[in-house]
Amino acid sequence: MKRTVLNLVMVVCALIFFNFESTKDLTTNSLVAKISFESQTIDYGEIVQHSDGSRQFTFENTGDTPLVITHVKTTCGCTVPSYSKEPILPGKTGIINIKYDTRRVGAFSKSIRVLSNTASEITILKIKGTVILPQG
């Protein structure tokens, strides 16, 4: 019984080791897509309630292969992203559009997760600001 458990543990350790090595080979590949944002934070400052909450994150593929954004996730339904599903070629730029719902008055800080085929796979963007009541 002890021998069977020991053999099973050795097989699991070997599988983990080989899986780690194959993953490491993928991340050290010299031909990877790299995403470089002009800014990873957009500060709305003070924005009037019910005004246009649309903003854009501009980025460039500074890598050697086409950049593919697979998904953009937000932390709540008050922030809606849109982005191109087409690959961004090396040296080309792209845009991620963000629309924040400005109905609620008060400060906000939201995170946006960009999933792509870069070495790090996830890039975190942020928006922040304060929605104020209209004057008058």
Side-chain angles (χ1 to χ4, degrees):
M1 181 70 170
K2 288 182 182 180
R3 179 175 256 169
T4 305
V5 171
L6 181 60
N7 287 337
L8 182 60
V9 168
M10 287 180 16
V11 168
V12 168
C13 288
L15 288 173
I16 290 171
F17 175 76
F18 287 120
N19 186 38
F20 174 76
E21 285 298 314
S22 65
T23 303
K24 191 167 95 174
D25 289 342
L26 290 174
T27 58
T28 58
N29 184 354
S30 62
L31 296 177
V32 295
K34 294 179 185 173
I35 191 166
S36 299
F37 285 88
E38 285 182 4
S39 175
Q40 289 185 252
T41 301
I42 292 178
D43 187 350
Y44 283 66
E46 288 187 344
I47 185 168
V48 177
Q49 184 182 30
H50 301 295
S51 63
D52 183 17
S54 298
R55 300 292 187 273
Q56 295 180 333
F57 285 98
T58 304
F59 62 89
E60 180 181 357
N61 177 1
T62 57
D64 301 318
T65 62
L67 169 69
V68 178
I69 295 177
T70 54
H71 196 66
V72 177
K73 295 181 182 182
T74 60
T75 54
C76 73
C78 59
T79 308
V80 181
S82 64
Y83 59 98
S84 172
K85 312 295 189 272
E86 299 298 317
I88 308 297
L89 298 175
K92 300 296 181 184
T93 60
I95 294 172
I96 297 174
N97 293 302
I98 300 295
K99 183 168 177 106
Y100 180 73
D101 185 354
T102 60
R103 286 184 293 175
R104 288 188 178 154
V105 174
F108 65 91
S109 178
K110 305 295 176 185
S111 295
I112 299 129
R113 295 176 53 170
V114 179
L115 287 75
S116 64
N117 65 331
T118 60
S120 63
E121 295 181 359
I122 297 173
T123 304
I124 305 293
L125 305 175
K126 296 184 182 204
I127 61 170
K128 63 182 181 176
T130 304
V131 177
I132 61 173
L133 290 170
Q135 297 290 332

